[in-house]
Amino acid sequence: MEELSCRTSNLVEILASLAIGEQITTVNAVTIELTNAIWAGFFEGNAKFLDAGVPVYIPVSKIQYINR
């Protein structure tokens, strides 16, 4: 499991490098924690994940870390 944690600009670069549809083990964003979410790209300045098929939009600045 690889933990990715860094500043917002670096996180944007890392997220942009992920393939759409890639499974993310954990996404932690202050008050939100997703497990086994699917990366779905960016939407209106937010990171978009699918959690059990439901879209979840998280401001990139709120993401503390992701594990893939």
Side-chain angles (χ1 to χ4, degrees):
M1 177 173 14
E2 178 184 353
E3 182 177 307
L4 306 173
S5 177
C6 51
R7 298 174 196 238
T8 301
S9 61
N10 290 340
L11 186 58
V12 169
E13 291 175 19
I14 291 167
L15 289 170
S17 74
L18 298 175
I20 299 297
E22 185 169 340
Q23 184 171 6
I24 306 299
T25 304
T26 308
V27 178
N28 184 291
V30 185
T31 60
I32 298 171
E33 183 164 299
L34 305 176
T35 56
N36 298 319
I38 303 297
W39 171 241
F42 294 101
F43 182 76
E44 295 183 358
N46 296 304
K48 180 180 177 183
F49 299 90
L50 297 177
D51 185 30
V54 177
V56 178
Y57 303 93
I58 301 173
V60 175
S61 64
K62 298 294 184 191
I63 297 175
Q64 294 178 329
Y65 66 87
I66 62 174
N67 293 324
R68 40 180 247 193

